[in-house]
Each structure stands twice: as structure tokens, then as C-alpha cells.
Amino acid sequence: LQGRFALVAPVPRKVLVPCAFLSMGVVVGVTGIALVLSRDTYLYNLWILPALLLAQSLIMWSQPLYLGLFGAHRDRIIMIQSLSVLAATLALCVLCVAQLGITGAVVSQLAGGAGLALLRWVVFVRYRRAGWV
């Protein structure tokens, strides 16, 4: 059991580096395109991209934890947490978009990504301490 955890443990940290570099590259590229096009709408909403990339990076960071649970045959908890986060994010999106528009959509995606990453991490640590991962 320690061997499986030893294999999974360093991967989340290693995922963050490529995510950060790719995200920065995308932001720089899109910012350049938005500046060249000089459309006020693009420039005004440019803040959305880093926020969505952060949410996606959090999900990617937690993916190895998910795979560790999957490798330990913890399919039931994976389904429960995935469906729970899906329902919560969808409900949050509907509420936030109704109140805040596009900002609400971004906030709900950030909250969903952070919630999924946190939930995967908590469950992984819990099962690891129990010796199941």
C-alpha cells in the first residue's frame, strides 16, 4: 500500500508546473491578440481567462488523487463526490449567473474547481490514513 501512495504522492506537485507555464502562455497569447484587435469587450473581459485557467489547474492538480482512488478501487466514493460536486456547481452556477451575470459564471467555476480539488484531496488523505490507498 505504501508503494501505491509513494507513486501517486509527488505527481500533483509535478502537475502544477506545466499547468502554470501553459496557463501563462495562453494568457500572454490571448492578451496579445486582444490588444491587437483592440476591442473593448475583449479587453474588458480579459480577467475571465486567468480565473477559468486557475479553476482548470485546480482540477488538473487533483486528477492524480482521483487516479489513486480509482487504482484503489474506490469507485463508489469517486461517483458520489463527482456527482455531488456536479450538482453543487450547477446549482451555484444558476444562482450566481442570475445574480451576477458572467461574473457569476466565473465565480461558480472557480468554486466548483476548488471544491472538487479540495474534496478529492480530503478523501484521498482520509483513505490513505485508513490504509486503503
Side-chain angles (χ1 to χ4, degrees):
L1 292 176
Q2 285 300 93
R4 186 182 304 140
F5 175 72
L7 182 67
V8 173
V11 177
R13 284 187 300 270
K14 291 180 181 179
V15 167
L16 285 179
V17 174
C19 278
F21 281 116
L22 289 171
S23 294
M24 285 188 289
V26 168
V27 168
V28 168
V30 169
T31 302
I33 291 170
L35 290 172
V36 167
L37 295 176
S38 333
R39 294 197 113 170
D40 290 339
T41 305
Y42 295 162
L43 296 171
Y44 179 74
N45 290 315
L46 203 53
W47 66 272
I48 293 172
L49 182 60
L52 293 177
L53 287 170
L54 176 61
Q56 189 60 39
S57 294
L58 288 170
I59 292 169
M60 292 307 299
W61 169 81
S62 71
Q63 192 66 20
L65 304 174
Y66 162 81
L67 292 174
L69 292 169
F70 181 76
H73 306 290
R74 302 293 164 211
D75 300 335
R76 182 182 169 115
I77 191 66
I78 291 170
M79 287 302 295
I80 291 169
Q81 74 180 186
S82 295
L83 293 174
S84 299
V85 171
L86 173 66
T89 303
L90 184 60
L92 184 63
C93 187
V94 168
L95 292 172
C96 287
V97 168
Q99 296 296 317
L100 304 170
I102 192 76
T103 302
V106 174
V107 167
S108 68
Q109 291 305 305
L110 273 170
L116 181 60
L118 179 63
L119 189 58
R120 284 179 175 174
W121 180 74
V122 167
V123 169
F124 184 84
V125 168
R126 181 175 159 223
Y127 280 128
R128 181 185 169 267
R129 286 187 182 148
W132 296 341
V133 175

